[in-house]
């Protein structure tokens, strides 16, 4: 199963990172997982996600809101993150 989330709110930080709220649509993100970030189906880059909790996963209804730090990419609302395997 693909781990996927859509960003619902973002804040750019002076470090170049983004603090985000996201709706996890499928799968489960883990602390320090490598992810790819896309906007309008165009890849912005690959990076690491730092979660506010140990994990962030979709619930029984297929989504769950969570917060995280996206390292080194300036994200905007609507960007999509997907977990990378391995």
């Amino acid at each position: 199963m693909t781990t996927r989330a859509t960003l619902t709110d973002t804040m750019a930080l002076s470090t170049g990172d983004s603090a985000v709220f996201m709706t996890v649509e499928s799968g489960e993100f883990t602390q320090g997982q490598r992810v790819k970030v896309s906007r309008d189906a165009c890849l912005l880059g690959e990076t690491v996600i730092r979660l506010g909790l140990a994990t962030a996963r979709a619930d029984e209804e297929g989504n769950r809101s969570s917060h995280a730090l996206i390292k080194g990419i300036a994200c905007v609302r609507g960007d999509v993150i997907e977990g990378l395997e391995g």
Side-chain angles (χ1 to χ4, degrees):
M1 171 184 283
T2 301
T3 304
R4 179 184 168 97
T6 299
L7 304 185
T8 56
D9 200 9
T10 66
M11 178 186 295
L13 305 176
S14 62
T15 58
D17 302 335
S18 294
V20 304
F21 281 94
M22 61 187 185
T23 298
V24 181
E25 298 157 359
S26 64
E28 179 177 9
F29 290 98
T30 58
Q31 197 65 264
Q33 182 177 358
R34 298 229 18 108
V35 296
K36 65 180 181 177
V37 182
S38 302
R39 182 176 304 147
D40 299 325
C42 294
L43 180 65
L44 297 177
E46 294 181 5
T47 189
V48 173
I49 188 170
R50 300 286 182 211
L51 301 169
L53 301 172
T55 63
R57 66 177 148 236
D59 62 17
E60 302 80 35
E61 295 163 6
N63 56 57
R64 179 178 176 201
S65 184
S66 188
H67 61 282
L69 180 72
I70 306 292
K71 299 291 290 175
I73 296 178
C75 298
V76 299
R77 182 183 297 160
D79 285 355
V80 173
I81 59 171
E82 294 179 276
L84 297 173
E85 301 300 322

